[in-house]
mmCIF file of all heavy atoms in Angstrom:
data_model
loop_
_atom_site.group_PDB
_atom_site.id
_atom_site.type_symbol
_atom_site.label_atom_id
_atom_site.label_comp_id
_atom_site.label_asym_id
_atom_site.label_seq_id
_atom_site.Cartn_x
_atom_site.Cartn_y
_atom_site.Cartn_z
ATOM 1 N N ILE A 56 91.654 109.610 95.695
ATOM 2 C CA ILE A 56 91.603 110.641 96.738
ATOM 3 C C ILE A 56 91.532 112.052 96.164
ATOM 4 O O ILE A 56 90.863 112.918 96.710
ATOM 5 C CB ILE A 56 92.805 110.493 97.720
ATOM 6 C CG1 ILE A 56 92.502 111.170 99.054
ATOM 7 C CG2 ILE A 56 94.109 111.025 97.152
ATOM 8 C CD1 ILE A 56 91.684 110.372 99.965
ATOM 9 N N GLY A 161 88.235 100.504 106.135
ATOM 10 C CA GLY A 161 87.118 101.434 106.042
ATOM 11 C C GLY A 161 87.227 102.619 106.983
ATOM 12 O O GLY A 161 88.216 102.784 107.711
ATOM 13 N N CYS A 162 86.187 103.447 106.949
ATOM 14 C CA CYS A 162 86.189 104.659 107.797
ATOM 15 C C CYS A 162 84.754 105.041 108.107
ATOM 16 O O CYS A 162 83.923 105.136 107.203
ATOM 17 C CB CYS A 162 86.877 105.797 107.057
ATOM 18 S SG CYS A 162 86.780 107.328 107.997
ATOM 19 N N ASP A 163 84.466 105.290 109.390
ATOM 20 C CA ASP A 163 83.108 105.670 109.805
ATOM 21 C C ASP A 163 82.902 107.176 109.862
ATOM 22 O O ASP A 163 81.823 107.632 110.187
ATOM 23 C CB ASP A 163 82.769 105.066 111.185
ATOM 24 C CG ASP A 163 82.435 103.593 111.072
ATOM 25 O OD1 ASP A 163 82.424 103.073 109.941
ATOM 26 O OD2 ASP A 163 82.181 102.958 112.111
ATOM 27 N N TYR A 164 83.952 107.962 109.603
ATOM 28 C CA TYR A 164 83.755 109.415 109.579
ATOM 29 C C TYR A 164 83.160 109.804 108.232
ATOM 30 O O TYR A 164 83.101 108.987 107.309
ATOM 31 C CB TYR A 164 85.097 110.142 109.786
ATOM 32 C CG TYR A 164 85.539 110.103 111.221
ATOM 33 C CD1 TYR A 164 86.430 109.132 111.680
ATOM 34 C CD2 TYR A 164 85.049 111.012 112.145
ATOM 35 C CE1 TYR A 164 86.829 109.091 113.000
ATOM 36 C CE2 TYR A 164 85.442 110.987 113.469
ATOM 37 C CZ TYR A 164 86.336 110.015 113.903
ATOM 38 O OH TYR A 164 86.724 109.975 115.204
ATOM 39 N N ASN A 165 82.729 111.045 108.154
ATOM 40 C CA ASN A 165 82.199 111.541 106.896
ATOM 41 C C ASN A 165 82.722 112.944 106.663
ATOM 42 O O ASN A 165 81.943 113.884 106.557
ATOM 43 C CB ASN A 165 80.665 111.538 106.929
ATOM 44 C CG ASN A 165 80.126 110.159 106.586
ATOM 45 O OD1 ASN A 165 80.414 109.628 105.501
ATOM 46 N ND2 ASN A 165 79.415 109.567 107.512
ATOM 47 N N CYS A 166 84.025 113.069 106.600
ATOM 48 C CA CYS A 166 84.601 114.388 106.344
ATOM 49 C C CYS A 166 84.043 114.856 104.996
ATOM 50 O O CYS A 166 83.950 114.054 104.048
ATOM 51 C CB CYS A 166 86.114 114.310 106.317
ATOM 52 S SG CYS A 166 86.759 113.655 107.878
ATOM 53 N N THR A 167 83.679 116.123 104.933
ATOM 54 C CA THR A 167 82.867 116.579 103.788
ATOM 55 C C THR A 167 83.630 116.634 102.472
ATOM 56 O O THR A 167 83.038 116.872 101.436
ATOM 57 C CB THR A 167 82.265 117.973 104.103
ATOM 58 O OG1 THR A 167 83.329 118.820 104.552
ATOM 59 C CG2 THR A 167 81.208 117.877 105.184
ATOM 60 N N TYR A 168 84.957 116.438 102.517
ATOM 61 C CA TYR A 168 85.757 116.499 101.290
ATOM 62 C C TYR A 168 86.166 115.109 100.815
ATOM 63 O O TYR A 168 86.729 114.961 99.738
ATOM 64 C CB TYR A 168 87.045 117.302 101.541
ATOM 65 C CG TYR A 168 87.807 116.833 102.763
ATOM 66 C CD1 TYR A 168 88.673 115.751 102.686
ATOM 67 C CD2 TYR A 168 87.612 117.434 104.001
ATOM 68 C CE1 TYR A 168 89.333 115.283 103.813
ATOM 69 C CE2 TYR A 168 88.266 116.981 105.131
ATOM 70 C CZ TYR A 168 89.122 115.904 105.027
ATOM 71 O OH TYR A 168 89.758 115.435 106.139
ATOM 72 N N CYS A 169 85.930 114.059 101.604
ATOM 73 C CA CYS A 169 86.669 112.819 101.425
ATOM 74 C C CYS A 169 85.854 111.672 100.824
ATOM 75 O O CYS A 169 84.754 111.358 101.280
ATOM 76 C CB CYS A 169 87.219 112.383 102.784
ATOM 77 S SG CYS A 169 88.259 110.922 102.664
ATOM 78 N N ILE A 170 86.436 111.036 99.827
ATOM 79 C CA ILE A 170 85.751 109.944 99.117
ATOM 80 C C ILE A 170 85.972 108.589 99.783
ATOM 81 O O ILE A 170 85.305 107.609 99.473
ATOM 82 C CB ILE A 170 86.209 109.912 97.632
ATOM 83 C CG1 ILE A 170 85.258 109.079 96.781
ATOM 84 C CG2 ILE A 170 87.657 109.448 97.504
ATOM 85 C CD1 ILE A 170 85.519 109.137 95.280
ATOM 86 N N VAL A 171 86.924 108.539 100.737
ATOM 87 C CA VAL A 171 87.322 107.236 101.307
ATOM 88 C C VAL A 171 86.134 106.433 101.872
ATOM 89 O O VAL A 171 85.994 105.245 101.560
ATOM 90 C CB VAL A 171 88.454 107.393 102.348
ATOM 91 C CG1 VAL A 171 88.675 106.095 103.118
ATOM 92 C CG2 VAL A 171 89.745 107.822 101.648
ATOM 93 N N PRO A 172 85.252 107.037 102.696
ATOM 94 C CA PRO A 172 84.151 106.214 103.225
ATOM 95 C C PRO A 172 83.311 105.607 102.105
ATOM 96 O O PRO A 172 82.809 104.499 102.221
ATOM 97 C CB PRO A 172 83.323 107.214 104.051
ATOM 98 C CG PRO A 172 84.275 108.310 104.388
ATOM 99 C CD PRO A 172 85.233 108.409 103.237
ATOM 100 N N GLU A 178 83.900 100.932 108.993
ATOM 101 C CA GLU A 178 85.059 100.368 109.701
ATOM 102 C C GLU A 178 84.827 98.905 110.053
ATOM 103 O O GLU A 178 83.737 98.538 110.502
ATOM 104 C CB GLU A 178 85.320 101.163 110.996
ATOM 105 C CG GLU A 178 86.011 102.474 110.697
ATOM 106 C CD GLU A 178 85.998 103.456 111.857
ATOM 107 O OE1 GLU A 178 85.615 103.075 112.984
ATOM 108 O OE2 GLU A 178 86.363 104.626 111.626
ATOM 109 N N GLN A 206 92.662 103.289 107.595
ATOM 110 C CA GLN A 206 92.315 104.676 107.292
ATOM 111 C C GLN A 206 92.099 105.426 108.585
ATOM 112 O O GLN A 206 92.282 106.617 108.685
ATOM 113 C CB GLN A 206 91.041 104.762 106.436
ATOM 114 C CG GLN A 206 91.298 104.542 104.976
ATOM 115 C CD GLN A 206 92.294 105.514 104.427
ATOM 116 O OE1 GLN A 206 92.531 106.593 105.004
ATOM 117 N NE2 GLN A 206 92.928 105.168 103.333
ATOM 118 N N ASN A 207 91.689 104.686 109.610
ATOM 119 C CA ASN A 207 91.527 105.275 110.917
ATOM 120 C C ASN A 207 91.988 104.225 111.922
ATOM 121 O O ASN A 207 91.197 103.595 112.598
ATOM 122 C CB ASN A 207 90.067 105.677 111.125
ATOM 123 C CG ASN A 207 89.898 106.335 112.461
ATOM 124 O OD1 ASN A 207 90.878 106.653 113.141
ATOM 125 N ND2 ASN A 207 88.656 106.531 112.854
ATOM 126 N N THR A 241 96.822 105.466 109.627
ATOM 127 C CA THR A 241 96.817 106.869 109.960
ATOM 128 C C THR A 241 95.889 107.077 111.132
ATOM 129 O O THR A 241 94.791 106.493 111.113
ATOM 130 C CB THR A 241 96.243 107.665 108.768
ATOM 131 O OG1 THR A 241 97.078 107.560 107.651
ATOM 132 C CG2 THR A 241 96.060 109.095 109.097
ATOM 133 N N GLY A 242 96.240 107.919 112.037
ATOM 134 C CA GLY A 242 95.388 108.123 113.200
ATOM 135 C C GLY A 242 94.432 109.281 112.990
ATOM 136 O O GLY A 242 94.733 110.226 112.260
ATOM 137 N N HIS A 243 93.268 109.209 113.610
ATOM 138 C CA HIS A 243 92.365 110.364 113.649
ATOM 139 C C HIS A 243 92.499 110.971 115.042
ATOM 140 O O HIS A 243 92.396 110.254 116.036
ATOM 141 C CB HIS A 243 90.917 109.915 113.395
ATOM 142 C CG HIS A 243 89.990 111.069 113.151
ATOM 143 N ND1 HIS A 243 89.632 111.961 114.133
ATOM 144 C CD2 HIS A 243 89.377 111.502 112.019
ATOM 145 C CE1 HIS A 243 88.824 112.876 113.618
ATOM 146 N NE2 HIS A 243 88.654 112.610 112.330
ATOM 147 N N ASP A 246 90.227 109.926 117.965
ATOM 148 C CA ASP A 246 90.277 108.569 118.529
ATOM 149 C C ASP A 246 91.611 108.261 119.184
ATOM 150 O O ASP A 246 91.832 107.140 119.659
ATOM 151 C CB ASP A 246 90.035 107.535 117.410
ATOM 152 C CG ASP A 246 88.674 107.751 116.777
ATOM 153 O OD1 ASP A 246 87.685 107.820 117.522
ATOM 154 O OD2 ASP A 246 88.611 107.891 115.545
ATOM 155 N N PRO A 268 96.643 113.543 111.274
ATOM 156 C CA PRO A 268 96.303 114.651 110.396
ATOM 157 C C PRO A 268 95.329 115.629 111.040
ATOM 158 O O PRO A 268 94.308 115.224 111.597
ATOM 159 C CB PRO A 268 95.642 113.957 109.207
ATOM 160 C CG PRO A 268 96.220 112.582 109.202
ATOM 161 C CD PRO A 268 96.381 112.235 110.652
ATOM 162 N N GLN A 270 94.443 118.541 109.155
ATOM 163 C CA GLN A 270 93.769 119.008 107.909
ATOM 164 C C GLN A 270 93.695 120.519 107.766
ATOM 165 O O GLN A 270 93.878 121.037 106.681
ATOM 166 C CB GLN A 270 92.347 118.412 107.737
ATOM 167 C CG GLN A 270 92.250 116.914 107.900
ATOM 168 C CD GLN A 270 93.038 116.107 106.864
ATOM 169 O OE1 GLN A 270 93.638 116.665 105.961
ATOM 170 N NE2 GLN A 270 93.052 114.807 107.006
ATOM 171 N N MET A 280 84.553 121.013 107.590
ATOM 172 C CA MET A 280 85.095 119.728 107.096
ATOM 173 C C MET A 280 84.465 118.544 107.834
ATOM 174 O O MET A 280 84.662 117.401 107.442
ATOM 175 C CB MET A 280 86.614 119.677 107.332
ATOM 176 C CG MET A 280 87.434 120.543 106.400
ATOM 177 S SD MET A 280 89.190 120.443 106.870
ATOM 178 C CE MET A 280 89.984 120.988 105.342
ATOM 179 N N ALA A 281 83.750 118.844 108.933
ATOM 180 C CA ALA A 281 83.147 117.801 109.808
ATOM 181 C C ALA A 281 84.208 116.902 110.411
ATOM 182 O O ALA A 281 84.056 115.672 110.451
ATOM 183 C CB ALA A 281 82.100 116.980 109.044
ATOM 184 N N ARG A 282 85.284 117.511 110.898
ATOM 185 C CA ARG A 282 86.377 116.716 111.477
ATOM 186 C C ARG A 282 86.064 116.260 112.905
ATOM 187 O O ARG A 282 86.716 115.351 113.420
ATOM 188 C CB ARG A 282 87.681 117.507 111.463
ATOM 189 C CG ARG A 282 88.278 117.669 110.092
ATOM 190 C CD ARG A 282 88.757 116.358 109.506
ATOM 191 N NE ARG A 282 89.951 115.841 110.178
ATOM 192 C CZ ARG A 282 90.515 114.666 109.879
ATOM 193 N NH1 ARG A 282 89.984 113.870 108.968
ATOM 194 N NH2 ARG A 282 91.585 114.262 110.517
ATOM 195 N N ASP A 308 98.541 115.763 107.918
ATOM 196 C CA ASP A 308 98.105 116.060 106.553
ATOM 197 C C ASP A 308 97.371 117.390 106.604
ATOM 198 O O ASP A 308 96.669 117.668 107.582
ATOM 199 C CB ASP A 308 97.096 115.015 106.039
ATOM 200 C CG ASP A 308 97.681 113.621 105.889
ATOM 201 O OD1 ASP A 308 98.918 113.480 106.009
ATOM 202 O OD2 ASP A 308 96.898 112.684 105.654
ATOM 203 N N ILE A 310 95.057 120.297 104.137
ATOM 204 C CA ILE A 310 94.401 120.637 102.868
ATOM 205 C C ILE A 310 94.276 122.154 102.787
ATOM 206 O O ILE A 310 93.847 122.783 103.764
ATOM 207 C CB ILE A 310 92.978 120.026 102.799
ATOM 208 C CG1 ILE A 310 93.067 118.502 102.844
ATOM 209 C CG2 ILE A 310 92.235 120.487 101.563
ATOM 210 C CD1 ILE A 310 91.707 117.803 102.900
HETATM 211 FE FE1 LIG B 502 88.510 110.555 104.937
HETATM 212 FE FE2 LIG B 502 87.864 111.781 107.162
HETATM 213 FE FE3 LIG B 502 87.713 109.129 107.012
HETATM 214 FE FE4 LIG B 502 90.065 110.299 107.058
HETATM 215 S S1 LIG B 502 88.539 110.335 108.711
HETATM 216 S S2 LIG B 502 89.435 108.676 105.678
HETATM 217 S S3 LIG B 502 89.706 112.166 105.915
HETATM 218 S S4 LIG B 502 86.452 110.582 105.908
#
Side-chain angles (χ1 to χ4, degrees):
I56 202 81
C162 175
D163 283 358
Y164 284 96
N165 277 301
C166 302
T167 50
Y168 51 83
C169 185
I170 196 172
V171 169
E178 283 166 10
Q206 278 303 339
N207 182 10
T241 295
H243 191 290
D246 300 308
Q270 310 297 357
M280 286 177 160
R282 288 293 289 176
D308 295 351
I310 297 176

